[in-house]
Amino acid sequence: MSPELPTEPVSPKATPLPPLPSEDPLTPAQWKTILAIADAVIPALKPTSTSKAVTDIAVPDAVYSTAITKLGVLSLEADDDADNAAKEYLESNASQDPAFRAELQRVFAMYMPDSQKKELRMLLNVLNTRAGSLALTGYMTPISEQPAHIRESILQGWGTARLGPLRQLRRSLTILTKQAWIKTSPSLRRMIAIPRLPVGMKPGKGHDYEFIQIPPGDGPEVIETDVVIVGSGCGGGVSAKNLAEAGYRVLIVEKSYHWTPDHFPMAEADGWHHLFMSGSFLTSDDSSVTIVAGQAWGGGGTVNWSASLQTQGYVRREWASRGLPFFTSATFQESLDRVCGRMGVSAEHIKHNRSNEILLEGARKLGWSAKPVPQNTGGRQHFCGYCNFGCGSCEKQGPVVSFLPDAARASAKFMEGFQAEKILFSTKEGKQVATGVLGTWTSRDERGGVSGSPTTRRKVIIKAKRVIVSAGTMQSPLLLLRSGLKNPQIGRNLYIHPVAVLGAIHKEEIRPWEGGILTSVVNEFENMDNKGHGVKLEATTMVPSAWLMWLDWKGGLQYKLDAARMKHMVGYISLARDRGSGRVYADPVDGRVRFQYQVSKFDKQHILEGLISLAKIQYVAGAQEIFTVIPGMRPFIRDAAPETGAGINDLAFQTWIEEIRTKGLPTPESVFVSAHQMGSCRMSALEKDGVVDPTGKVWGTEGLFVADASVFPSASGVNPMVTNMGISDWVSRGVARGLEDKARL
Ligand SMILES: Cc1cc2nc3c(=O)[nH]c(=O)nc-3n(C[C@H](O)[C@H](O)[C@H](O)COP(=O)(O)OP(=O)(O)OC[C@H]3O[C@@H](n4cnc5c(N)ncnc54)[C@H](O)[C@@H]3O)c2cc1C
Ligand SMILES: *[C@@H]1O[C@H](CO)[C@@H](O)[C@H](O)[C@H]1NC(C)=O
Ligand SMILES: *[C@@H]1O[C@H](CO)[C@@H](O)[C@H](O)[C@H]1NC(C)=O
Ligand SMILES: CC(=O)N[C@H]1CO[C@H](CO)[C@@H](O)[C@@H]1O
């Protein structure tokens, strides 16, 4: 470690958010309605003796004091004023902190596509009329005028309504409220007592990036280069390194901004906005799936969890059988090994935290196949659970600390704040030949941050001999479509590895946010149809804002009491290699990314079996309570009676599992999440079947390539980063060879 660095963790630098747009997306009446609903999801709870019974929910005095005691015991160690912390927690509603409303406003104003905003406004208006209120709530009095306990019971009623849309409405409104509250509530943070920084984090030194600055001026600025790469993520980073090291002038453009490691890990309230696409509020058209994708300098590599698995044989064979023999070739393996070698991928230094240890130990006790997951942490032990918001220690070898600095050393140039709008073409012999990229560059503000007004905004034309699109699975197809390409395959074949979660509460303190996030996997169920479809069971990130919104909301008191037990929780995902697929497209009104995806019955079945298997692991690990996110499903609570030796054959447990099977993952209220998007510009042997040819070149064009996870022929099954980097290694080497040939001619 270099001498000038402090060895003790210091508080990361502040990362203020850009200002809210001046136009308020909701009217005062609409705000009143939505906040009345939010304050019923997260209500103020008071003992009957002091309750006002309109703005709070009265809890019988005895129940209240039991709750205070339970919460007090939980936070005792961390808080010398535990009773007051508990009281403040119970007695505050979601909206009393102004940050809550600001967070909702940011979501509505900045991330919701216009058509969804319209629907929300209409719903809030209808709820505000007597007829609409009667139809939706059973009362003539609008919900905004109801006392808190009636509001709560209306929401509970929606949960069991016969009409699917009402159940869906309850789900959407409760999740929205939970997410905003978890990020903004100081009293929740105090209850959970999660430290701001990973225990023992040592600050690291990052690469000193230089970014091109464009002077103010009229008309577009023109820049020339050999290769322009759109997107600084996993595919873009690898491509930049290869082409720069091969001696070509490379310019990599990225729409978001670089944050030096002394900003990491970001606070949860800021991190989602600065580092993720649409603040992670991007949902499918039917709102059943949420997409989490990195949008940062370094793309998904800046926020991913270090899991570095190579593409498995059965997937390689499937892809090869589609006329793409590359995937079973030695060349592909060399590419995989090369990128893993550069990142120091290894399973040797892993120290599992409790959640991962339980996963491995539970699988062992059940006789299931499981293994540690190699990490791209430069061969070092990296004991950090906060990488979701950037890695402050730089141990995680994301593109920002590996491929991009390599590219810089080989003279690659970088541009942040550049939104690529169009690929430019000329026509030669009936083919579109890419000649560059047109986009808008937005500078930082006067203080060098992004929270004020930019000092300059300019159109920029980048002229290049080759264009590589590495904007990720959600954005690459949109860029191709905006550029006028017409291939109907563009945006189709979207695979997402849909995920559902299972949690459990243990008697011991787990402090699940400590330690590496994803260091083990149970792969017993990865091939359930003998065609390579099934699930992987993995641990998940356990920062409150990535976890607590999954706890089922059955009422205000229950939800608050559950959330406060986070310190004792473990959380896992059942991640499917999906057979079904969806489609990415541009919103017809505002051009933003939209997508259709419904988890198929077939894939749901696999996810459900995965959840049941995770429950079994928790049972043998001695969990006190096991819960699913299936709406309305009761948790399994372990009997206090002594163990009989039956293990998972325990009758009460088996009965509960049968209940899960019966309930399934009902439509439309079940929700899924995806951090792995793939396939929307898939590689194909024939032009009619995909978007790029076997070298990564866009069909029907010259000089235009795609190198990111969108070219996967189908779902990768494993966490996609390494597969993506391996393919991008191959594609970019091919681009370099093509340039050489041209130079020789
Ligand atoms: C929270 C999280 C955890 C993950 N953990 C793992 C893991 O442990 N292991 C694993 O293998 N995978 C993991 N993944 C998945 C992995 O990060 C992605 O699959 C991978 O990053 C995809 O790489 P990509 O090259 O396709 O695009 P990305 O890495 O997403 O990069 C695309 C970049 O392009 C930029 N961009 C988009 N449009 C434009 C435009 N028009 N102009 C300019 N720039 C643009 C974006 O801002 C973005 O930075 C995780 C993902 C997430 C979100
Ligand atoms: C939430 O709490 C605040 C502060 O106590 C109160 O003014 C407000 O009316 C409450 N909101 C609702 C909708 O009851
Ligand atoms: C994910 O993170 C690891 C470790 O930070 C990094 O090496 C890798 O490049 C990242 N992968 C992607 C695809 O971003
Ligand atoms: C098994 C286990 O608990 N391992 C570690 C998980 O993370 C915590 C927090 O750092 C460690 O103290 C444990 O040793």
Side-chain angles (χ1 to χ4, degrees):
M1 170 156 301
S2 53
E4 71 271 23
L5 283 171
T7 48
E8 285 306 307
V10 285
S11 259
K13 287 188 181 156
T15 53
L17 298 174
L20 287 167
S22 53
E23 200 184 319
D24 195 327
L26 300 184
T27 64
Q30 289 164 343
W31 272 117
K32 189 169 173 211
T33 302
I34 193 134
L35 293 180
I37 293 171
D39 286 340
V41 177
I42 304 293
L45 300 152
K46 292 197 177 154
T48 311
S49 50
T50 67
S51 163
K52 301 209 179 55
V54 177
T55 55
D56 60 68
I57 294 181
V59 181
D61 288 12
V63 176
Y64 182 89
S65 62
T66 312
I68 289 282
T69 311
K70 273 194 201 155
L71 293 171
V73 170
L74 279 173
S75 65
L76 205 52
E77 202 185 305
D79 207 314
D80 43 22
D81 195 7
D83 275 4
N84 255 327
K87 186 164 178 291
E88 180 193 305
Y89 178 64
L90 285 180
E91 299 197 358
S92 48
N93 65 21
S95 79
Q96 75 181 50
D97 190 327
F100 177 82
R101 184 190 189 278
E103 172 70 13
L104 286 187
Q105 187 170 337
R106 188 170 296 278
V107 171
F108 299 148
M110 302 181 69
Y111 305 136
M112 239 186 210
D114 280 340
S115 40
Q116 277 178 14
K117 231 179 298 187
K118 224 181 256 166
E119 278 170 31
L120 173 73
R121 291 192 190 113
M122 202 161 69
L123 170 79
L124 295 173
N125 291 345
V126 168
L127 276 170
N128 225 352
T129 64
R130 293 167 74 81
S133 178
L134 185 64
L136 292 174
T137 72
Y139 297 93
M140 292 282 246
T141 311
I143 193 164
S144 59
E145 307 290 336
Q146 296 280 17
H149 71 280
I150 304 271
R151 282 179 262 142
E152 184 189 49
S153 72
I154 290 170
L155 284 164
Q156 287 163 331
W158 285 348
T160 51
R162 283 199 31 239
L163 286 175
L166 285 181
R167 301 201 302 276
Q168 189 178 350
L169 185 63
R170 184 203 75 125
R171 179 207 64 202
S172 298
L173 292 171
T174 53
I175 290 198
L176 184 70
T177 305
K178 285 187 273 186
Q179 279 179 316
W181 175 69
I182 295 160
K183 282 192 223 168
T184 55
S185 164
S187 64
L188 170 68
R189 207 147 268 284
R190 187 170 167 197
M191 278 311 306
I192 301 176
I194 172 172
R196 170 69 181 85
L197 292 179
V199 176
M201 176 184 127
K202 303 245 184 355
K205 174 102 180 70
H207 180 79
D208 257 330
Y209 285 100
E210 248 182 69
F211 293 97
I212 294 179
Q213 305 296 315
I214 310 278
D218 305 324
E221 173 86 356
V222 179
I223 298 177
E224 277 189 52
T225 182
D226 292 329
V227 184
V228 58
I229 299 173
V230 179
S232 64
C234 299
V238 170
S239 303
K241 170 185 160 85
N242 284 343
L243 282 150
E245 288 180 353
Y248 297 101
R249 290 177 301 160
V250 171
L251 172 58
I252 181 156
V253 293
E254 164 61 53
K255 70 165 143 188
S256 45
Y257 297 85
H258 174 52
W259 297 91
T260 49
D262 49 1
H263 294 92
F264 291 152
M266 285 191 192
E268 290 178 72
D270 303 338
W272 293 109
H273 298 294
H274 285 310
L275 303 174
F276 292 85
M277 188 188 304
S278 303
S280 284
F281 280 93
L282 182 61
T283 63
S284 56
D285 290 345
D286 67 354
S287 75
S288 65
V289 180
T290 299
I291 292 278
V292 182
Q295 182 172 298
W297 183 246
T302 298
V303 298
N304 78 25
W305 309 336
S306 305
S308 304
L309 293 158
Q310 296 202 350
T311 330
Q312 287 167 285
Y314 62 87
V315 175
R316 296 188 206 185
R317 287 192 296 275
E318 182 196 309
W319 292 355
S321 75
R322 300 176 181 213
L324 300 167
F326 164 64
F327 290 107
T328 43
S329 71
T331 310
F332 182 45
Q333 187 56 44
E334 278 161 24
S335 284
L336 292 172
D337 287 341
R338 190 156 35 231
V339 297
C340 286
R342 176 59 189 91
M343 296 191 293
V345 171
S346 134
E348 263 167 35
H349 298 269
I350 297 176
K351 181 168 156 209
H352 298 289
N353 68 5
R354 194 68 193 114
S355 309
N356 281 284
E357 193 181 66
I358 288 174
L359 193 64
L360 288 173
E361 180 60 7
R364 189 193 64 80
K365 285 183 177 163
L366 291 159
W368 295 344
S369 166
K371 59 182 183 187
V373 169
Q375 308 281 303
N376 60 350
T377 49
R380 269 173 290 185
Q381 175 182 323
H382 180 56
F383 208 59
C384 164
Y386 293 50
C387 281
N388 204 62
F389 298 112
C391 187
S393 71
C394 297
E395 279 174 356
K396 183 170 89 167
Q397 299 287 301
V400 175
V401 294
S402 55
F403 299 101
L404 292 169
D406 288 353
R409 284 186 281 272
S411 304
K413 299 275 181 287
F414 304 116
M415 216 167 162
E416 56 172 10
F418 180 94
Q419 156 83 21
E421 284 148 14
K422 265 189 181 130
I423 297 153
L424 304 170
F425 293 103
S426 65
T427 318
K428 201 161 113 196
E429 291 154 16
K431 275 210 169 176
Q432 305 236 65
V433 182
T435 56
V437 173
L438 166 73
T440 302
W441 179 72
T442 308
S443 74
R444 289 173 176 255
D445 62 23
E446 278 171 342
R447 281 157 297 147
V450 299
S451 62
S453 314
T455 53
T456 310
R457 182 168 290 169
R458 265 302 279 283
K459 286 271 179 217
V460 178
I461 290 174
I462 299 166
K463 292 189 176 166
K465 300 184 183 121
R466 297 286 187 274
V467 175
I468 300 183
V469 176
S470 301
T473 297
M474 304 308 285
Q475 298 290 343
S476 287
L478 296 195
L479 178 56
L480 297 185
L481 291 169
R482 282 198 299 272
S483 309
L485 297 182
K486 298 276 190 269
N487 181 344
Q489 293 282 348
I490 298 173
R492 293 190 183 276
N493 315 306
L494 169 70
Y495 295 90
I496 64 165
H497 282 170
V499 156
V501 310
L502 179 124
I505 294 173
H506 287 254
K507 205 175 201 163
E508 64 188 286
E509 243 185 46
I510 304 275
R511 299 195 302 277
W513 46 79
E514 290 184 0
I517 299 170
L518 201 177
T519 58
S520 60
V521 60
V522 173
N523 54 349
E524 176 82 9
F525 307 99
E526 67 189 2
N527 188 357
M528 295 172 82
D529 67 346
N530 281 325
K531 292 194 172 126
H533 300 102
V535 285
K536 291 196 165 60
L537 312 180
E538 299 176 344
T540 182
T541 179
M542 293 296 274
V543 291
S545 59
W547 173 249
L548 288 176
M549 80 276 191
W550 296 118
L551 308 196
D552 192 28
W553 182 90
K554 299 185 175 76
L557 180 61
Q558 159 268 336
Y559 182 74
K560 279 192 182 179
L561 290 177
D562 282 351
R565 292 193 287 177
M566 175 131 189
K567 210 187 294 178
H568 292 261
M569 280 181 202
V570 288
Y572 299 94
I573 56 180
S574 167
L575 176 152
R577 174 166 192 251
D578 39 346
R579 189 179 73 174
S581 64
R583 181 170 79 97
V584 182
Y585 65 100
D587 186 273
V589 180
D590 57 23
R592 281 183 218 226
V593 57
R594 300 279 304 265
F595 73 103
Q596 291 169 348
Y597 191 102
Q598 266 181 325
V599 183
S600 70
K601 260 195 169 147
F602 176 86
D603 295 323
K604 267 188 188 176
Q605 204 51 45
H606 291 169
I607 295 172
L608 193 70
E609 281 310 311
L611 293 178
I612 290 169
S613 307
L614 282 167
K616 290 178 181 167
I617 289 177
Q618 288 310 307
Y619 186 93
V620 302
Q624 299 286 300
E625 196 172 320
I626 307 172
F627 54 87
T628 66
V629 290
I630 301 171
M633 179 71 205
R634 71 182 168 101
F636 174 77
I637 297 176
R638 201 181 207 97
D639 202 329
E643 296 293 335
T644 60
I648 57 167
N649 297 333
D650 168 41
L651 194 60
F653 181 64
Q654 284 297 332
T655 310
W656 181 73
I657 291 218
E658 275 320 301
E659 261 178 68
I660 296 185
R661 283 223 169 82
T662 310
K663 248 191 152 83
L665 290 157
T667 305
E669 65 267 41
S670 299
V671 269
F672 302 87
V673 65
S674 155
H676 299 166
Q677 302 88 36
M678 304 156 282
S680 58
C681 298
R682 81 173 169 200
M683 186 179 278
S684 61
L686 298 173
E687 180 160 2
K688 66 176 178 43
D689 295 330
V691 178
V692 301
D693 75 8
T695 68
K697 189 171 76 172
V698 176
W699 284 113
T701 70
E702 288 300 330
L704 176 60
F705 295 80
V706 181
D708 61 24
S710 72
V711 304
F712 291 11
S714 69
S716 60
V718 287
N719 310 52
M721 162 177 87
V722 166
T723 304
N724 171 17
M725 290 177 163
I727 297 175
S728 300
D729 182 70
W730 149 261
V731 170
S732 53
R733 279 163 187 274
V735 171
R737 276 194 306 275
L739 283 164
E740 259 169 53
D741 293 348
K742 195 175 154 195
R744 243 184 272 124
L745 282 178

